[in-house]
Amino acid sequence: MGVSRNAAKPEAVEKADPSSGEPTYAAGTETVVAPFGRAAKAGTVFISGMHSDTNPSPGLSVARSLRLAWPGLRIVGLDYSPESSGLHSDVLDDLVCLPTWRRAHLETWVEQMCRLLEPDDALLIPCLDLEVRLLATELGFHDKILGPSKAALDMVRKPPVEAAERLGVRVAEAETDTSWHAIDRFVRRSPHGVWVKGEVYDAYRAYTAGEVLALGSVVEHTWGGGWHLERHVAGQECSIAFAALNGRLLDAVFVTKALVTVAGKTWAGEVAELDDSLRDGLADLVADARWTGGGELELIRSWHGELTLMELNPRFPAWIHGASVCGINLPAALVAGRAAGRDRLLAPGFTRVVEEIPVNPALGITPFGWVAGGLPRPADKHPSGMSCLGQRHLVPAERAAVPEESVPTPTATTAQTGGFEELLAPPGPEATPSRHLLLPLFAEQFQALKEQVEGLGNVLLAHSVKTCPQPAVLREAARLGMVAEAISLAELAAADRFGLAAERGILNGPAKWWPATDHVRCWAFFADSVAELRSLHARLDNGFQLEAEVVGIRAAPVHVASRFGIPLHEPEVMAEAAGLLSSLARRLGATWGLHFHFAQSVLGASRWQRECAAALGAADPLADQMGGPPAVLDVGGGWHIDDMPYVRASLGYVLEHGPAAAREADPLLVLEPGKILTQPTVAVVTQVVVRRESRKNCDIVVDAAEGDMPEAPYHPHPVARFDGSRWVPLPPGRDRILGRSCMEHDVLGVRLDLSDVQEGDHLAFGMCGAYDTSMAYDFGRGTAPRELGHS
Amino acid sequence: MTGLLAELKRFERIDLSRVACHGAACCKAVRYRVFGRLMQYANVGAALAAVPELIRWGPVQWPAHWCDLPEGDGLTGDCGVHADVAAAVLTREAVPHSRGRAVLRPAPLAPAHWRASWNEAGAGDAWIAARVVHHEVIRVGDQWWDPSEARWFSGAGAHLSGGRVLAVREEHGSWQLDPEASATQALP
């Protein structure tokens, strides 16, 4: 069994320690007092997970801790590849190298593990997550295995909500619904990004829904299981490691990470005892779980000191020897089966160092493995081969890779629920794809928005013409008392034609004076740059006639990059802008205003309101230079349809934390929420052209394409199928809807269940108003741009 | 040494693997699937590394045909399949090479896994002896290539993830033994 090492270990000579009555072990000239006494009945301890690199497995650290406690203990390293670097360490007396999980036979593995543990004095400390689970599944309770049972593992599955409750700490907000829509919503509401977490291993940080979908595929491909999302919690990373036997907490340690690697792995840490409250909570948790073995709670401590539980790992952490050398030796407590006393002196912390060692001659050095795609193979990144074990699906899945059903969240309007299908008429004889205006949803959104701004002061709602220049919508906006927000004179003229008077209109954007004319009348305009202010002065000098009641400037965001606006946070720029604006206001006999604009759908409500408040903060120093406060504060940026319930809170935040002028001077607040009003007002009906099935999923091709809904490849849209009598929303799944064009990215829907969808069926995409309509274009229809002439 | 020599003799009777073709669509489609995928790689090393990624290591009943390789969503083949495919890639790229075999001494607990898997699949396990195993490799220049692990190795005496290389032999050549194995590691 195993490959015996030639390297001789110093003989451990047992002596009696007269002061403590405990046995001591003399190794060469070094005498070590063993506070744990004999290692219970252990003669040989097998330890798995021996790989040691910048993302080490815990095995070598556990072995060192046991060696620290008992120099004479027989320690055998166990792993699944000769590339597992810790197998070469001379801390080990012996090693067992099993075949990688790509090449292992499950029943043979079970037999061999049982045979290894046959001797009365043998123990196993499993240190690999999936191996722990497989042992619990295949061997059930085994008194030689110091690892948790399946029931215990079930109690601490990710996300660890139950464990957090028992410990009295917070848990990171998580989303287990991995449909595109749910991912998009969760990411938008996570200002610091999210973690894509595998069911048993791996976590990747992501900031966009697209990144999440791609990383989720990586996790599925690498580990063969499901995944979920967790909101990133900013703070200090810390951990509690513990050892327990049959539900009795033996010992625990609190470590605060002091240095981490680029991959976020601990490199140095402060070591401390747990406070009584945490210790009691942990003792209750391990008692309820009847936990045996090591464990680690990964936590984030906020600046205020609150703890958030991120994960509970069913094995010791890889830094565990750091705690041992500081005075808390959990692996030894586990093997001794004895609770440690707490009247101990601890070293304040530990650090890691890099060490080179010669390879074990029996294992040799394995040559470099070539890779096909330029990235390391999963088996190379994880030499213990756990990813292969995951791919073989030998451990029961905790979470399917298929998205779970969405849990409906409280929403304010029908539009946000994707309830467009209730308004949409059955498909008629018209050719598909066809576009259908759902005008009642515009009024519904307007009403909801009005309720959001009620009581916030003097608020004017503006319709962003670019998000829906349809005459019917422009007329409806006028009927509802809105004003036009235009980015060109052409838009302003179109709005004027359909009831949104130009003299009440607002001009925004970097080229608002296009197409060129010698006379413009509007209510307000906001210059996008200092150059535009200069140019306006020059044009006025040359006879340009401009009538406006409010002249203003657009403030650039302070924290996020943007091609728009004036960087008023730069003092010289502010001074120049203020001078030009002031003289322009005088020339036109106008009051002045300040504008902020950034897509809320990109930033999410939390970041948007902070950016808005920060940018508008320039109003106070500008007021000093302008000689008075602004008459108008104009805020905009396309709001996401789901975020209507956040409008009031966000505007409240801006008014409270933005410029003093907003509270003291009672300026008119103009709100340009863009697509939140128009996104639900259009549906696109399409027909299934082709259905293609594979072993894993199904794709359908429809006769609509990205040109019919340009945002569809980038943002989730609700989809319904007409079942002969009504439109029925499609449930989440693993299938895709492909557009009819020849573009690779023309994918209109992902992670849907299309099992009921057949060729010829009608599907309807909701939320196709706004840019899906105003930016729609002919593609693949044999037409050419109009200036080139139609054939 | 006697034990090792006896195993070498026995392994010599195993033919180097050549995946056969039925000459019909069943095999041609699989062959196309394999070499179509390998064509995408712009350099030989990447294409060779892709072989074991594309064809999962596992039991095959010999004589094997291309249409025997699909299993589930993927393809399965042993080191003989890997060597045959890798050799075809080298031929396509006009890299001089020759087929060969190696004898490995794996970790002691490994052969039981492989024997169990091969027996379960009803495939012959003649390549697995008590303490050594037969492995197909490729000679390229003065080095050896392990087509199942996508690694260069120097020959007898080297270590692969499958075990220590006790002996290598180029097709039509003679065995080269690991000097250490011949001196001290003689099999019983």
Side-chain angles (χ1 to χ4, degrees):
Chain A
M1 180 201 72
V3 180
S4 292
R5 296 185 53 82
N6 294 327
K9 199 151 208 45
E11 282 296 313
V13 182
E14 196 172 317
K15 294 178 182 172
D17 173 11
S19 62
S20 66
E22 296 283 4
T24 61
Y25 298 84
T29 57
E30 182 187 12
T31 300
V32 181
V33 177
F36 302 96
R38 287 177 184 277
K41 291 189 298 177
T44 299
V45 179
F46 294 92
I47 303 166
S48 65
M50 298 302 297
H51 186 57
S52 180
D53 64 5
T54 53
N55 180 12
S57 296
L60 185 58
S61 199
V62 171
R64 286 177 172 150
S65 295
L66 295 183
R67 182 63 73 221
L68 182 70
W70 298 292
L73 181 69
R74 182 165 180 267
I75 301 174
V76 181
L78 183 153
D79 219 325
Y80 299 86
S81 161
E83 290 166 90
S84 172
S85 56
L87 288 178
H88 298 270
S89 169
D90 64 3
V91 169
L92 305 177
D93 295 292
D94 208 343
L95 62 92
V96 174
C97 185
L98 292 165
T100 171
W101 275 103
R102 257 182 309 168
R103 299 185 173 197
H105 182 261
L106 180 62
E107 288 76 20
T108 305
W109 176 77
V110 171
E111 280 172 29
Q112 291 179 343
M113 296 303 276
C114 290
R115 211 178 313 137
L116 288 175
L117 296 174
E118 263 172 12
D120 288 343
D121 61 354
L123 289 174
L124 168 66
I125 302 180
C127 291
L128 295 162
D129 297 273
L130 268 173
E131 184 199 44
V132 168
R133 285 175 166 78
L134 192 63
L135 284 165
T137 305
E138 293 295 323
L139 274 72
F141 174 76
H142 194 300
D143 62 356
K144 307 277 185 64
I145 298 176
L146 299 178
S149 66
K150 185 156 185 323
L153 292 169
D154 287 344
M155 265 187 72
V156 299
R157 57 188 293 185
K158 298 178 190 178
V161 179
E162 195 178 339
E165 274 174 20
R166 284 160 189 265
L167 288 167
V169 298
R170 295 171 175 222
V171 65
E173 286 189 58
E175 177 58 88
T176 55
D177 176 358
T178 53
S179 65
W180 193 7
H181 185 81
I183 291 168
D184 186 70
R185 183 179 54 216
F186 192 71
V187 170
R188 204 175 51 257
R189 294 180 184 172
S190 302
H192 304 293
V194 300
W195 289 90
V196 180
K197 287 200 165 177
E199 183 182 299
V200 289
Y201 195 79
D202 253 353
Y204 297 97
R205 186 107 174 245
Y207 297 91
T208 66
E211 286 172 359
V212 169
L213 287 168
L215 292 167
S217 296
V218 169
V219 170
E220 277 179 36
H221 178 73
T222 307
W223 296 94
W227 48 278
H228 71 280
L229 297 181
E230 275 181 23
R231 185 160 294 157
H232 176 76
V233 179
Q236 196 174 21
E237 290 181 54
C238 21
S239 285
I240 295 171
F242 64 91
L245 194 65
N246 298 323
R248 188 164 66 101
L249 182 64
L250 300 173
D251 202 357
V253 61
F254 194 101
V255 163
T256 304
K257 297 184 183 184
L259 270 180
V260 293
T261 67
V262 285
K265 305 298 172 185
T266 306
W267 199 257
E270 294 174 52
V271 171
E273 299 280 7
L274 267 65
D275 65 35
D276 288 342
S277 145
L278 274 176
R279 179 173 280 272
D280 291 347
L282 182 59
D284 289 346
L285 177 68
V286 299
D288 289 350
R290 294 204 54 76
W291 193 278
T292 286
E296 181 196 17
L297 300 133
E298 293 188 39
L299 301 148
I300 300 288
R301 182 165 45 203
S302 74
W303 189 81
H304 295 284
E306 291 160 335
L307 293 173
T308 302
L309 179 61
M310 308 303 288
E311 267 184 44
L312 202 165
N313 298 318
R315 37 103 188 133
F316 287 123
W319 48 259
I320 197 68
H321 188 54
S324 301
V325 296
C326 289
I328 302 181
N329 192 332
L330 301 184
L334 178 62
V335 170
R338 189 181 303 175
R342 296 182 65 189
D343 51 341
R344 50 194 170 187
L345 270 179
L346 303 181
F350 64 87
T351 187
R352 285 176 163 165
V353 293
V354 174
E355 184 185 15
E356 289 77 19
I357 58 172
V359 297
N360 182 320
L363 296 174
I365 181 80
T366 310
F368 171 78
W370 284 73
V371 291
L375 295 170
R377 292 173 291 191
D380 297 331
K381 196 176 164 199
H382 306 281
S384 295
M386 286 301 104
S387 54
C388 303
L389 176 54
Q391 287 162 15
R392 288 180 62 177
H393 299 291
L394 297 176
V395 182
E398 290 176 4
R399 176 165 301 113
V402 176
E404 295 176 4
E405 284 284 347
S406 232
V407 179
T409 50
T411 46
T413 67
T414 312
Q416 290 156 43
T417 64
F420 75 98
E421 68 275 2
E422 290 163 22
L423 286 174
L424 189 61
E430 71 273 11
T432 54
S434 57
R435 197 175 296 275
H436 301 261
L437 190 62
L438 307 171
L439 200 54
L441 292 178
F442 182 76
E444 186 182 319
Q445 288 295 90
F446 174 81
Q447 191 54 40
L449 186 63
K450 219 173 150 192
E451 285 166 17
Q452 288 287 318
V453 301
E454 219 166 65
L456 286 177
N458 193 8
V459 180
L460 178 65
L461 299 180
H463 170 60
S464 175
V465 176
K466 62 182 176 290
T467 68
C468 210
Q470 267 70 17
V473 172
L474 296 176
R475 280 194 206 98
E476 182 71 352
R479 186 186 72 80
L480 293 168
M482 302 181 80
V483 299
E485 182 237 344
I487 58 165
S488 69
L489 296 179
E491 272 196 353
L492 191 66
D496 190 68
R497 277 199 302 280
F498 297 106
L500 292 165
E503 62 266 27
R504 294 190 63 215
I506 303 164
L507 279 169
N508 273 328
K512 57 181 73 68
W513 310 110
W514 176 88
T517 180
D518 53 8
H519 178 235
V520 172
R521 185 177 180 199
C522 63
W523 172 68
F525 69 86
F526 293 92
D528 191 58
S529 63
V530 170
E532 185 182 345
L533 289 170
R534 283 194 216 107
S535 162
L536 271 175
H537 277 289
R539 291 180 68 188
L540 289 170
D541 292 343
N542 290 329
F544 178 49
Q545 293 178 29
L546 176 58
E547 293 177 69
E549 293 177 33
V550 180
V551 299
I553 50 178
R554 174 173 175 168
V558 178
H559 302 108
V560 294
S562 171
R563 56 170 277 216
F564 301 110
I566 301 174
L568 296 171
H569 44 280
E570 295 173 15
E572 306 78 19
V573 177
M574 178 183 275
E576 186 179 7
L580 290 165
L581 183 63
S582 177
S583 55
L584 193 58
R586 275 196 306 276
R587 283 181 86 161
L588 298 178
T591 56
W592 73 279
L594 187 62
H595 174 50
F596 169 79
H597 203 109
F598 200 97
Q600 184 275 352
S601 60
V602 172
L603 295 180
S606 168
R607 286 178 68 198
W608 183 88
Q609 68 195 29
R610 279 183 280 121
E611 285 293 347
C612 184
L616 291 188
D620 288 340
L622 266 179
D624 292 340
Q625 298 179 52
M626 296 290 294
V632 173
L633 291 177
D634 181 326
V635 298
W639 274 66
H640 194 281
I641 181 73
D642 284 347
D643 289 349
M644 181 68 86
Y646 295 83
V647 170
R648 184 181 190 79
S650 282
L651 292 181
Y653 179 94
V654 171
L655 293 175
E656 186 181 350
H657 298 280
R663 296 178 294 279
E664 295 162 5
D666 193 27
L668 175 65
L669 182 64
V670 179
L671 178 59
E672 303 167 358
K675 62 189 176 186
I676 197 170
L677 294 175
T678 50
Q679 193 75 57
T681 59
V682 173
V684 169
V685 173
T686 182
Q687 266 187 290
V688 179
V689 179
V690 181
R691 179 184 169 87
R692 326 193 286 213
E693 295 197 37
S694 70
R695 281 194 192 90
K696 287 183 181 168
N697 59 352
C698 140
D699 287 342
I700 60 168
V701 182
V702 295
D703 60 11
E706 61 167 335
D708 301 300
M709 37 184 148
E711 295 268 283
Y714 310 105
H715 300 292
H717 289 54
V719 192
R721 168 180 162 269
F722 191 69
D723 72 356
S725 60
R726 63 196 180 98
W727 293 100
V728 181
L730 291 178
R734 305 201 66 172
D735 307 326
R736 299 187 302 173
I737 302 176
L738 310 177
R740 70 160 195 282
S741 83
C742 55
M743 309 305 283
E744 283 289 357
H745 60 265
D746 190 5
V747 179
L748 305 176
V750 298
R751 295 181 81 73
L752 294 163
D753 180 354
L754 302 177
S755 43
D756 290 337
V757 179
Q758 303 301 323
E759 287 180 12
D761 279 0
H762 283 85
L763 299 181
F765 285 80
M767 301 292 167
C768 289
Y771 300 113
D772 278 312
T773 290
S774 62
M775 293 176 75
Y777 53 93
D778 278 351
F779 181 69
R781 290 171 179 265
T783 53
R786 66 175 181 277
E787 63 270 27
L788 298 179
H790 289 281
S791 57
Chain B
M1 198 61 193
T2 320
L4 177 57
L5 290 179
E7 296 297 358
L8 297 182
K9 283 266 182 222
R10 194 169 72 77
F11 288 147
E12 278 171 16
R13 290 199 291 273
I14 300 176
D15 289 334
L16 291 178
S17 307
R18 261 90 189 180
V19 184
C21 182
H22 284 120
C26 60
C27 282
K28 287 181 178 175
V30 178
R31 202 170 188 286
Y32 169 72
R33 175 179 171 183
V34 170
F35 290 102
R37 292 285 292 275
L38 296 177
M39 284 282 284
Q40 69 175 290
Y41 298 101
N43 68 73
V44 188
L48 291 175
V51 172
E53 288 180 26
L54 180 61
I55 304 170
R56 201 171 39 223
W57 186 83
V60 169
Q61 294 187 36
W62 290 96
H65 290 78
W66 289 102
C67 61
D68 296 325
L69 306 187
E71 185 183 293
D73 290 336
L75 302 165
T76 300
D78 58 16
C79 63
V81 174
H82 291 153
D84 199 34
V85 173
V89 170
L90 291 167
T91 302
R92 187 191 70 198
E93 299 291 333
V95 177
H97 66 280
S98 58
R99 301 284 294 271
R101 59 181 92 227
V103 173
L104 308 185
R105 187 183 62 215
L109 298 187
H113 288 259
W114 303 336
R115 188 171 289 112
S117 297
W118 257 248
N119 290 342
E120 245 172 38
D125 63 0
W127 63 280
I128 309 168
R131 290 183 53 191
V132 293
V133 295
H134 175 261
H135 185 48
E136 290 199 36
V137 294
I138 296 175
R139 179 80 164 172
V140 185
D142 59 357
Q143 292 213 85
W144 295 85
W145 177 258
D146 179 345
S148 291
E149 287 290 325
R151 299 179 202 272
W152 287 111
F153 66 103
S154 56
H159 287 263
L160 293 170
S161 63
R164 184 183 178 101
V165 183
L166 297 185
V168 286
R169 180 183 174 179
E170 209 172 330
E171 193 171 23
H172 311 303
S174 55
W175 286 105
Q176 300 164 26
L177 300 183
D178 171 14
E180 257 188 59
S182 36
T184 61
Q185 311 271 339
L187 293 167

